[in-house]
Amino acid sequence: MSSPKKITIVVPFLNEKENLPVLLERVAGVFAERTEDWELLLVDDGSTDGSAEWAVAQAQANRHVRVVRLSRNFGHQLAITAGLDRSDGDAVVVMDADLQDPPETIGPLIDKWREGYEVIYAVRRSRAGETWSKKFLAAGFYRVFRRLAKVNIPMDAGDFRLVDRCVVDALREMRELHRFMRGLTCWVGFRQASVAYDRAARFAGETKYPVWKSARLAFDAITS
């Protein structure tokens, strides 16, 4: 009998002490009803609120939890890259720690992967808790990016997605410093599909992507 498929969930985080315990509980709940093995790979991007220490303690007590601690704050995109570099699952899910990406969407992403797709985007049907200005800027960015970069990035898709092992291996070969992971994932090709979901409001804490950081990411995405 072949061993069950393994899913690695890569979660970069920065000062998310209130959210991480709830995230772990909800991810565990998803896989309690599934046959896949799983691992929550938490990437600490320079936290100072005790969340990194909590993650390390969980990794020591729970075989499903592993931690990567970066030496300082390198930023969200490089933290995702570090997680992909250290993932060993047959498929990898990338999601945020603030619970705006509902862990319950992981199941539909895996189901679509099992249909034979290698990149599955979680596409936002609705966006709770976001200001009109951020929604307006996001919509404008996707349209400008698709026109200038000639990359068919899906509208309303963020970093929340599942990628097959072959896609992870391809992304590991791309070592740009200024990275836009959702663009690189589209660019590498492979069979791609989407799953719709409703994005929740942040569970606790403050956003790590205010408007100025979102604008910086948009600039890096277009120029890189």
Side-chain angles (χ1 to χ4, degrees), residues 121 123 141-147 149-159 161 180-187 192 221:
Y121 314 99
V123 176
F141 161 72
Y142 282 112
R143 286 170 173 81
V144 171
F145 181 84
R146 292 173 72 167
R147 176 164 298 197
K150 307 299 182 184
V151 175
N152 189 28
I153 184 170
M155 296 288 291
D156 294 316
D159 290 309
R161 62 193 58 201
F180 182 54
M181 294 305 298
R182 66 192 76 164
L184 292 175
T185 306
C186 295
W187 183 81
Q192 306 194 4

PDB file of all heavy atoms in Angstrom, residues 121 123 141-147 149-159 161 180-187 192 221:
ATOM      1  N   TYR A 121      -5.247  28.411  -7.556  1.00  0.00           N
ATOM      2  CA  TYR A 121      -5.371  29.688  -6.865  1.00  0.00           C
ATOM      3  C   TYR A 121      -6.648  29.709  -6.038  1.00  0.00           C
ATOM      4  O   TYR A 121      -7.677  29.213  -6.465  1.00  0.00           O
ATOM      5  CB  TYR A 121      -5.465  30.836  -7.867  1.00  0.00           C
ATOM      6  CG  TYR A 121      -4.467  30.800  -8.982  1.00  0.00           C
ATOM      7  CD1 TYR A 121      -4.815  30.311 -10.237  1.00  0.00           C
ATOM      8  CD2 TYR A 121      -3.185  31.276  -8.787  1.00  0.00           C
ATOM      9  CE1 TYR A 121      -3.891  30.278 -11.276  1.00  0.00           C
ATOM     10  CE2 TYR A 121      -2.259  31.249  -9.813  1.00  0.00           C
ATOM     11  CZ  TYR A 121      -2.629  30.749 -11.054  1.00  0.00           C
ATOM     12  OH  TYR A 121      -1.713  30.716 -12.072  1.00  0.00           O
ATOM     13  N   VAL A 123      -9.315  32.161  -5.217  1.00  0.00           N
ATOM     14  CA  VAL A 123      -9.766  33.440  -5.775  1.00  0.00           C
ATOM     15  C   VAL A 123     -10.856  34.017  -4.882  1.00  0.00           C
ATOM     16  O   VAL A 123     -11.841  33.345  -4.565  1.00  0.00           O
ATOM     17  CB  VAL A 123     -10.289  33.253  -7.211  1.00  0.00           C
ATOM     18  CG1 VAL A 123     -10.844  34.566  -7.752  1.00  0.00           C
ATOM     19  CG2 VAL A 123      -9.168  32.740  -8.108  1.00  0.00           C
ATOM     20  N   PHE A 141      -4.203  47.468  -9.721  1.00  0.00           N
ATOM     21  CA  PHE A 141      -2.908  46.803  -9.868  1.00  0.00           C
ATOM     22  C   PHE A 141      -3.005  45.592 -10.783  1.00  0.00           C
ATOM     23  O   PHE A 141      -2.170  45.410 -11.679  1.00  0.00           O
ATOM     24  CB  PHE A 141      -2.381  46.357  -8.506  1.00  0.00           C
ATOM     25  CG  PHE A 141      -1.309  45.302  -8.624  1.00  0.00           C
ATOM     26  CD1 PHE A 141      -0.046  45.628  -9.089  1.00  0.00           C
ATOM     27  CD2 PHE A 141      -1.585  43.974  -8.321  1.00  0.00           C
ATOM     28  CE1 PHE A 141       0.936  44.655  -9.234  1.00  0.00           C
ATOM     29  CE2 PHE A 141      -0.618  43.000  -8.456  1.00  0.00           C
ATOM     30  CZ  PHE A 141       0.647  43.334  -8.914  1.00  0.00           C
ATOM     31  N   TYR A 142      -3.981  44.732 -10.563  1.00  0.00           N
ATOM     32  CA  TYR A 142      -4.088  43.514 -11.375  1.00  0.00           C
ATOM     33  C   TYR A 142      -4.236  43.845 -12.858  1.00  0.00           C
ATOM     34  O   TYR A 142      -3.637  43.192 -13.710  1.00  0.00           O
ATOM     35  CB  TYR A 142      -5.269  42.671 -10.901  1.00  0.00           C
ATOM     36  CG  TYR A 142      -4.994  41.874  -9.647  1.00  0.00           C
ATOM     37  CD1 TYR A 142      -5.627  42.177  -8.446  1.00  0.00           C
ATOM     38  CD2 TYR A 142      -4.084  40.822  -9.652  1.00  0.00           C
ATOM     39  CE1 TYR A 142      -5.370  41.457  -7.292  1.00  0.00           C
ATOM     40  CE2 TYR A 142      -3.824  40.096  -8.502  1.00  0.00           C
ATOM     41  CZ  TYR A 142      -4.469  40.422  -7.324  1.00  0.00           C
ATOM     42  OH  TYR A 142      -4.199  39.702  -6.193  1.00  0.00           O
ATOM     43  N   ARG A 143      -4.998  44.882 -13.153  1.00  0.00           N
ATOM     44  CA  ARG A 143      -5.190  45.244 -14.559  1.00  0.00           C
ATOM     45  C   ARG A 143      -3.897  45.793 -15.172  1.00  0.00           C
ATOM     46  O   ARG A 143      -3.524  45.432 -16.297  1.00  0.00           O
ATOM     47  CB  ARG A 143      -6.320  46.267 -14.678  1.00  0.00           C
ATOM     48  CG  ARG A 143      -7.689  45.633 -14.470  1.00  0.00           C
ATOM     49  CD  ARG A 143      -8.799  46.666 -14.335  1.00  0.00           C
ATOM     50  NE  ARG A 143     -10.101  46.027 -14.312  1.00  0.00           N
ATOM     51  CZ  ARG A 143     -10.639  45.462 -13.233  1.00  0.00           C
ATOM     52  NH1 ARG A 143      -9.969  45.463 -12.092  1.00  0.00           N
ATOM     53  NH2 ARG A 143     -11.821  44.907 -13.290  1.00  0.00           N
ATOM     54  N   VAL A 144      -3.189  46.639 -14.419  1.00  0.00           N
ATOM     55  CA  VAL A 144      -1.933  47.200 -14.930  1.00  0.00           C
ATOM     56  C   VAL A 144      -0.879  46.106 -15.069  1.00  0.00           C
ATOM     57  O   VAL A 144      -0.168  46.034 -16.082  1.00  0.00           O
ATOM     58  CB  VAL A 144      -1.431  48.322 -13.996  1.00  0.00           C
ATOM     59  CG1 VAL A 144      -0.021  48.764 -14.395  1.00  0.00           C
ATOM     60  CG2 VAL A 144      -2.383  49.509 -14.044  1.00  0.00           C
ATOM     61  N   PHE A 145      -0.782  45.239 -14.069  1.00  0.00           N
ATOM     62  CA  PHE A 145       0.230  44.183 -14.097  1.00  0.00           C
ATOM     63  C   PHE A 145       0.024  43.255 -15.284  1.00  0.00           C
ATOM     64  O   PHE A 145       0.972  42.905 -15.993  1.00  0.00           O
ATOM     65  CB  PHE A 145       0.188  43.383 -12.788  1.00  0.00           C
ATOM     66  CG  PHE A 145       1.217  42.280 -12.724  1.00  0.00           C
ATOM     67  CD1 PHE A 145       2.517  42.553 -12.322  1.00  0.00           C
ATOM     68  CD2 PHE A 145       0.896  40.983 -13.095  1.00  0.00           C
ATOM     69  CE1 PHE A 145       3.469  41.546 -12.272  1.00  0.00           C
ATOM     70  CE2 PHE A 145       1.842  39.973 -13.051  1.00  0.00           C
ATOM     71  CZ  PHE A 145       3.134  40.250 -12.637  1.00  0.00           C
ATOM     72  N   ARG A 146      -1.214  42.850 -15.517  1.00  0.00           N
ATOM     73  CA  ARG A 146      -1.486  41.913 -16.613  1.00  0.00           C
ATOM     74  C   ARG A 146      -1.151  42.540 -17.968  1.00  0.00           C
ATOM     75  O   ARG A 146      -0.685  41.863 -18.868  1.00  0.00           O
ATOM     76  CB  ARG A 146      -2.952  41.478 -16.579  1.00  0.00           C
ATOM     77  CG  ARG A 146      -3.277  40.616 -15.379  1.00  0.00           C
ATOM     78  CD  ARG A 146      -4.748  40.333 -15.245  1.00  0.00           C
ATOM     79  NE  ARG A 146      -5.217  39.398 -16.260  1.00  0.00           N
ATOM     80  CZ  ARG A 146      -6.395  38.802 -16.197  1.00  0.00           C
ATOM     81  NH1 ARG A 146      -7.211  39.047 -15.191  1.00  0.00           N
ATOM     82  NH2 ARG A 146      -6.775  37.977 -17.140  1.00  0.00           N
ATOM     83  N   ARG A 147      -1.346  43.853 -18.083  1.00  0.00           N
ATOM     84  CA  ARG A 147      -1.062  44.513 -19.358  1.00  0.00           C
ATOM     85  C   ARG A 147       0.432  44.707 -19.570  1.00  0.00           C
ATOM     86  O   ARG A 147       0.946  44.471 -20.671  1.00  0.00           O
ATOM     87  CB  ARG A 147      -1.775  45.869 -19.414  1.00  0.00           C
ATOM     88  CG  ARG A 147      -1.455  46.659 -20.668  1.00  0.00           C
ATOM     89  CD  ARG A 147      -2.442  47.773 -20.884  1.00  0.00           C
ATOM     90  NE  ARG A 147      -3.794  47.256 -21.068  1.00  0.00           N
ATOM     91  CZ  ARG A 147      -4.795  47.975 -21.594  1.00  0.00           C
ATOM     92  NH1 ARG A 147      -4.589  49.202 -21.985  1.00  0.00           N
ATOM     93  NH2 ARG A 147      -5.986  47.455 -21.719  1.00  0.00           N
ATOM     94  N   ALA A 149       3.147  43.241 -17.759  1.00  0.00           N
ATOM     95  CA  ALA A 149       4.022  42.085 -17.565  1.00  0.00           C
ATOM     96  C   ALA A 149       3.703  40.922 -18.490  1.00  0.00           C
ATOM     97  O   ALA A 149       4.483  39.972 -18.576  1.00  0.00           O
ATOM     98  CB  ALA A 149       3.949  41.620 -16.114  1.00  0.00           C
ATOM     99  N   LYS A 150       2.545  40.971 -19.152  1.00  0.00           N
ATOM    100  CA  LYS A 150       2.141  39.889 -20.052  1.00  0.00           C
ATOM    101  C   LYS A 150       2.074  38.548 -19.320  1.00  0.00           C
ATOM    102  O   LYS A 150       2.385  37.504 -19.882  1.00  0.00           O
ATOM    103  CB  LYS A 150       3.094  39.780 -21.252  1.00  0.00           C
ATOM    104  CG  LYS A 150       3.302  41.067 -22.020  1.00  0.00           C
ATOM    105  CD  LYS A 150       2.013  41.606 -22.607  1.00  0.00           C
ATOM    106  CE  LYS A 150       2.258  42.872 -23.425  1.00  0.00           C
ATOM    107  NZ  LYS A 150       1.016  43.477 -23.932  1.00  0.00           N
ATOM    108  N   VAL A 151       1.700  38.603 -18.042  1.00  0.00           N
ATOM    109  CA  VAL A 151       1.509  37.393 -17.239  1.00  0.00           C
ATOM    110  C   VAL A 151       0.039  37.343 -16.860  1.00  0.00           C
ATOM    111  O   VAL A 151      -0.490  38.299 -16.289  1.00  0.00           O
ATOM    112  CB  VAL A 151       2.385  37.400 -15.972  1.00  0.00           C
ATOM    113  CG1 VAL A 151       2.073  36.189 -15.096  1.00  0.00           C
ATOM    114  CG2 VAL A 151       3.856  37.409 -16.350  1.00  0.00           C
ATOM    115  N   ASN A 152      -0.618  36.254 -17.149  1.00  0.00           N
ATOM    116  CA  ASN A 152      -2.063  36.154 -16.939  1.00  0.00           C
ATOM    117  C   ASN A 152      -2.380  35.795 -15.490  1.00  0.00           C
ATOM    118  O   ASN A 152      -2.891  34.724 -15.181  1.00  0.00           O
ATOM    119  CB  ASN A 152      -2.665  35.117 -17.892  1.00  0.00           C
ATOM    120  CG  ASN A 152      -4.182  35.147 -17.863  1.00  0.00           C
ATOM    121  OD1 ASN A 152      -4.785  36.179 -17.588  1.00  0.00           O
ATOM    122  ND2 ASN A 152      -4.798  34.009 -18.147  1.00  0.00           N
ATOM    123  N   ILE A 153      -2.077  36.721 -14.591  1.00  0.00           N
ATOM    124  CA  ILE A 153      -2.345  36.502 -13.181  1.00  0.00           C
ATOM    125  C   ILE A 153      -3.845  36.658 -12.933  1.00  0.00           C
ATOM    126  O   ILE A 153      -4.458  37.616 -13.409  1.00  0.00           O
ATOM    127  CB  ILE A 153      -1.527  37.478 -12.314  1.00  0.00           C
ATOM    128  CG1 ILE A 153      -1.731  37.190 -10.836  1.00  0.00           C
ATOM    129  CG2 ILE A 153      -1.840  38.917 -12.641  1.00  0.00           C
ATOM    130  CD1 ILE A 153      -0.786  37.950  -9.939  1.00  0.00           C
ATOM    131  N   PRO A 154      -4.476  35.712 -12.230  1.00  0.00           N
ATOM    132  CA  PRO A 154      -5.928  35.789 -12.022  1.00  0.00           C
ATOM    133  C   PRO A 154      -6.317  37.009 -11.195  1.00  0.00           C
ATOM    134  O   PRO A 154      -5.624  37.383 -10.248  1.00  0.00           O
ATOM    135  CB  PRO A 154      -6.250  34.487 -11.266  1.00  0.00           C
ATOM    136  CG  PRO A 154      -5.090  33.590 -11.516  1.00  0.00           C
ATOM    137  CD  PRO A 154      -3.907  34.485 -11.675  1.00  0.00           C
ATOM    138  N   MET A 155      -7.432  37.629 -11.563  1.00  0.00           N
ATOM    139  CA  MET A 155      -7.972  38.727 -10.770  1.00  0.00           C
ATOM    140  C   MET A 155      -8.403  38.199  -9.405  1.00  0.00           C
ATOM    141  O   MET A 155      -8.928  37.099  -9.279  1.00  0.00           O
ATOM    142  CB  MET A 155      -9.174  39.339 -11.494  1.00  0.00           C
ATOM    143  CG  MET A 155      -8.830  39.994 -12.822  1.00  0.00           C
ATOM    144  SD  MET A 155      -7.928  41.545 -12.616  1.00  0.00           S
ATOM    145  CE  MET A 155      -9.202  42.576 -11.910  1.00  0.00           C
ATOM    146  N   ASP A 156      -8.167  38.988  -8.377  1.00  0.00           N
ATOM    147  CA  ASP A 156      -8.613  38.674  -7.011  1.00  0.00           C
ATOM    148  C   ASP A 156      -7.986  37.414  -6.442  1.00  0.00           C
ATOM    149  O   ASP A 156      -8.583  36.750  -5.579  1.00  0.00           O
ATOM    150  CB  ASP A 156     -10.139  38.567  -6.955  1.00  0.00           C
ATOM    151  CG  ASP A 156     -10.812  39.907  -7.231  1.00  0.00           C
ATOM    152  OD1 ASP A 156     -10.340  40.915  -6.684  1.00  0.00           O
ATOM    153  OD2 ASP A 156     -11.783  39.939  -7.991  1.00  0.00           O
ATOM    154  N   ALA A 157      -6.796  37.051  -6.896  1.00  0.00           N
ATOM    155  CA  ALA A 157      -6.043  35.941  -6.305  1.00  0.00           C
ATOM    156  C   ALA A 157      -4.815  36.503  -5.618  1.00  0.00           C
ATOM    157  O   ALA A 157      -4.038  37.234  -6.235  1.00  0.00           O
ATOM    158  CB  ALA A 157      -5.633  34.933  -7.374  1.00  0.00           C
ATOM    159  N   GLY A 158      -4.631  36.191  -4.340  1.00  0.00           N
ATOM    160  CA  GLY A 158      -3.455  36.625  -3.611  1.00  0.00           C
ATOM    161  C   GLY A 158      -2.422  35.513  -3.559  1.00  0.00           C
ATOM    162  O   GLY A 158      -2.282  34.718  -4.488  1.00  0.00           O
ATOM    163  N   ASP A 159      -1.711  35.427  -2.451  1.00  0.00           N
ATOM    164  CA  ASP A 159      -0.698  34.384  -2.301  1.00  0.00           C
ATOM    165  C   ASP A 159      -1.288  33.054  -1.839  1.00  0.00           C
ATOM    166  O   ASP A 159      -0.593  32.040  -1.843  1.00  0.00           O
ATOM    167  CB  ASP A 159       0.380  34.833  -1.300  1.00  0.00           C
ATOM    168  CG  ASP A 159       1.239  35.960  -1.856  1.00  0.00           C
ATOM    169  OD1 ASP A 159       1.742  35.807  -2.992  1.00  0.00           O
ATOM    170  OD2 ASP A 159       1.399  36.980  -1.174  1.00  0.00           O
ATOM    171  N   ARG A 161      -2.720  29.769  -2.144  1.00  0.00           N
ATOM    172  CA  ARG A 161      -2.802  28.841  -3.274  1.00  0.00           C
ATOM    173  C   ARG A 161      -2.154  27.517  -2.910  1.00  0.00           C
ATOM    174  O   ARG A 161      -1.439  27.405  -1.913  1.00  0.00           O
ATOM    175  CB  ARG A 161      -2.104  29.424  -4.504  1.00  0.00           C
ATOM    176  CG  ARG A 161      -0.608  29.672  -4.309  1.00  0.00           C
ATOM    177  CD  ARG A 161      -0.061  30.530  -5.435  1.00  0.00           C
ATOM    178  NE  ARG A 161      -0.766  31.792  -5.520  1.00  0.00           N
ATOM    179  CZ  ARG A 161      -0.803  32.559  -6.618  1.00  0.00           C
ATOM    180  NH1 ARG A 161      -0.161  32.186  -7.710  1.00  0.00           N
ATOM    181  NH2 ARG A 161      -1.462  33.704  -6.627  1.00  0.00           N
ATOM    182  N   PHE A 180       7.943  38.500  -6.557  1.00  0.00           N
ATOM    183  CA  PHE A 180       6.491  38.601  -6.529  1.00  0.00           C
ATOM    184  C   PHE A 180       5.972  37.194  -6.795  1.00  0.00           C
ATOM    185  O   PHE A 180       5.837  36.773  -7.939  1.00  0.00           O
ATOM    186  CB  PHE A 180       6.013  39.593  -7.597  1.00  0.00           C
ATOM    187  CG  PHE A 180       4.530  39.796  -7.619  1.00  0.00           C
ATOM    188  CD1 PHE A 180       3.835  40.169  -6.473  1.00  0.00           C
ATOM    189  CD2 PHE A 180       3.827  39.609  -8.798  1.00  0.00           C
ATOM    190  CE1 PHE A 180       2.458  40.354  -6.512  1.00  0.00           C
ATOM    191  CE2 PHE A 180       2.456  39.797  -8.837  1.00  0.00           C
ATOM    192  CZ  PHE A 180       1.777  40.179  -7.695  1.00  0.00           C
ATOM    193  N   MET A 181       5.745  36.442  -5.722  1.00  0.00           N
ATOM    194  CA  MET A 181       5.541  35.005  -5.837  1.00  0.00           C
ATOM    195  C   MET A 181       4.295  34.639  -6.636  1.00  0.00           C
ATOM    196  O   MET A 181       4.297  33.668  -7.389  1.00  0.00           O
ATOM    197  CB  MET A 181       5.478  34.370  -4.441  1.00  0.00           C
ATOM    198  CG  MET A 181       6.791  34.462  -3.667  1.00  0.00           C
ATOM    199  SD  MET A 181       8.209  33.776  -4.575  1.00  0.00           S
ATOM    200  CE  MET A 181       7.712  32.063  -4.759  1.00  0.00           C
ATOM    201  N   ARG A 182       3.232  35.433  -6.500  1.00  0.00           N
ATOM    202  CA  ARG A 182       2.025  35.069  -7.252  1.00  0.00           C
ATOM    203  C   ARG A 182       2.231  35.264  -8.752  1.00  0.00           C
ATOM    204  O   ARG A 182       1.650  34.547  -9.552  1.00  0.00           O
ATOM    205  CB  ARG A 182       0.816  35.833  -6.736  1.00  0.00           C
ATOM    206  CG  ARG A 182       0.841  37.335  -6.946  1.00  0.00           C
ATOM    207  CD  ARG A 182      -0.233  38.059  -6.161  1.00  0.00           C
ATOM    208  NE  ARG A 182       0.102  38.175  -4.747  1.00  0.00           N
ATOM    209  CZ  ARG A 182      -0.505  39.026  -3.923  1.00  0.00           C
ATOM    210  NH1 ARG A 182      -1.481  39.813  -4.359  1.00  0.00           N
ATOM    211  NH2 ARG A 182      -0.145  39.106  -2.660  1.00  0.00           N
ATOM    212  N   GLY A 183       3.101  36.208  -9.129  1.00  0.00           N
ATOM    213  CA  GLY A 183       3.433  36.363 -10.542  1.00  0.00           C
ATOM    214  C   GLY A 183       4.334  35.253 -11.043  1.00  0.00           C
ATOM    215  O   GLY A 183       4.128  34.706 -12.136  1.00  0.00           O
ATOM    216  N   LEU A 184       5.338  34.877 -10.247  1.00  0.00           N
ATOM    217  CA  LEU A 184       6.241  33.793 -10.631  1.00  0.00           C
ATOM    218  C   LEU A 184       5.489  32.476 -10.772  1.00  0.00           C
ATOM    219  O   LEU A 184       5.765  31.678 -11.677  1.00  0.00           O
ATOM    220  CB  LEU A 184       7.358  33.647  -9.597  1.00  0.00           C
ATOM    221  CG  LEU A 184       8.374  34.785  -9.518  1.00  0.00           C
ATOM    222  CD1 LEU A 184       9.353  34.555  -8.370  1.00  0.00           C
ATOM    223  CD2 LEU A 184       9.127  34.932 -10.829  1.00  0.00           C
ATOM    224  N   THR A 185       4.520  32.235  -9.882  1.00  0.00           N
ATOM    225  CA  THR A 185       3.749  30.999  -9.944  1.00  0.00           C
ATOM    226  C   THR A 185       2.956  30.910 -11.231  1.00  0.00           C
ATOM    227  O   THR A 185       2.806  29.824 -11.812  1.00  0.00           O
ATOM    228  CB  THR A 185       2.801  30.911  -8.730  1.00  0.00           C
ATOM    229  OG1 THR A 185       3.555  31.060  -7.525  1.00  0.00           O
ATOM    230  CG2 THR A 185       2.094  29.569  -8.694  1.00  0.00           C
ATOM    231  N   CYS A 186       2.420  32.039 -11.690  1.00  0.00           N
ATOM    232  CA  CYS A 186       1.707  32.047 -12.977  1.00  0.00           C
ATOM    233  C   CYS A 186       2.675  31.837 -14.125  1.00  0.00           C
ATOM    234  O   CYS A 186       2.385  31.112 -15.082  1.00  0.00           O
ATOM    235  CB  CYS A 186       0.976  33.371 -13.159  1.00  0.00           C
ATOM    236  SG  CYS A 186      -0.340  33.675 -11.988  1.00  0.00           S
ATOM    237  N   TRP A 187       3.826  32.477 -14.050  1.00  0.00           N
ATOM    238  CA  TRP A 187       4.766  32.517 -15.168  1.00  0.00           C
ATOM    239  C   TRP A 187       5.355  31.144 -15.487  1.00  0.00           C
ATOM    240  O   TRP A 187       5.640  30.834 -16.640  1.00  0.00           O
ATOM    241  CB  TRP A 187       5.878  33.514 -14.852  1.00  0.00           C
ATOM    242  CG  TRP A 187       6.852  33.693 -15.964  1.00  0.00           C
ATOM    243  CD1 TRP A 187       6.703  34.482 -17.079  1.00  0.00           C
ATOM    244  CD2 TRP A 187       8.130  33.072 -16.087  1.00  0.00           C
ATOM    245  NE1 TRP A 187       7.824  34.396 -17.871  1.00  0.00           N
ATOM    246  CE2 TRP A 187       8.715  33.525 -17.290  1.00  0.00           C
ATOM    247  CE3 TRP A 187       8.841  32.180 -15.301  1.00  0.00           C
ATOM    248  CZ2 TRP A 187       9.962  33.112 -17.725  1.00  0.00           C
ATOM    249  CZ3 TRP A 187      10.096  31.766 -15.725  1.00  0.00           C
ATOM    250  CH2 TRP A 187      10.641  32.232 -16.923  1.00  0.00           C
ATOM    251  N   GLN A 192      -3.211  24.906 -14.480  1.00  0.00           N
ATOM    252  CA  GLN A 192      -3.647  25.837 -13.459  1.00  0.00           C
ATOM    253  C   GLN A 192      -5.169  25.913 -13.398  1.00  0.00           C
ATOM    254  O   GLN A 192      -5.856  25.803 -14.409  1.00  0.00           O
ATOM    255  CB  GLN A 192      -3.048  27.222 -13.723  1.00  0.00           C
ATOM    256  CG  GLN A 192      -1.528  27.172 -13.870  1.00  0.00           C
ATOM    257  CD  GLN A 192      -0.859  28.517 -13.792  1.00  0.00           C
ATOM    258  OE1 GLN A 192      -1.486  29.539 -13.558  1.00  0.00           O
ATOM    259  NE2 GLN A 192       0.468  28.524 -13.964  1.00  0.00           N
ATOM    260  N   ALA A 221       6.529  44.145  -8.109  1.00  0.00           N
ATOM    261  CA  ALA A 221       5.938  43.147  -8.999  1.00  0.00           C
ATOM    262  C   ALA A 221       6.084  43.572 -10.453  1.00  0.00           C
ATOM    263  O   ALA A 221       6.490  42.785 -11.323  1.00  0.00           O
ATOM    264  CB  ALA A 221       4.464  42.959  -8.664  1.00  0.00           C
TER     265      ALA A 221
END
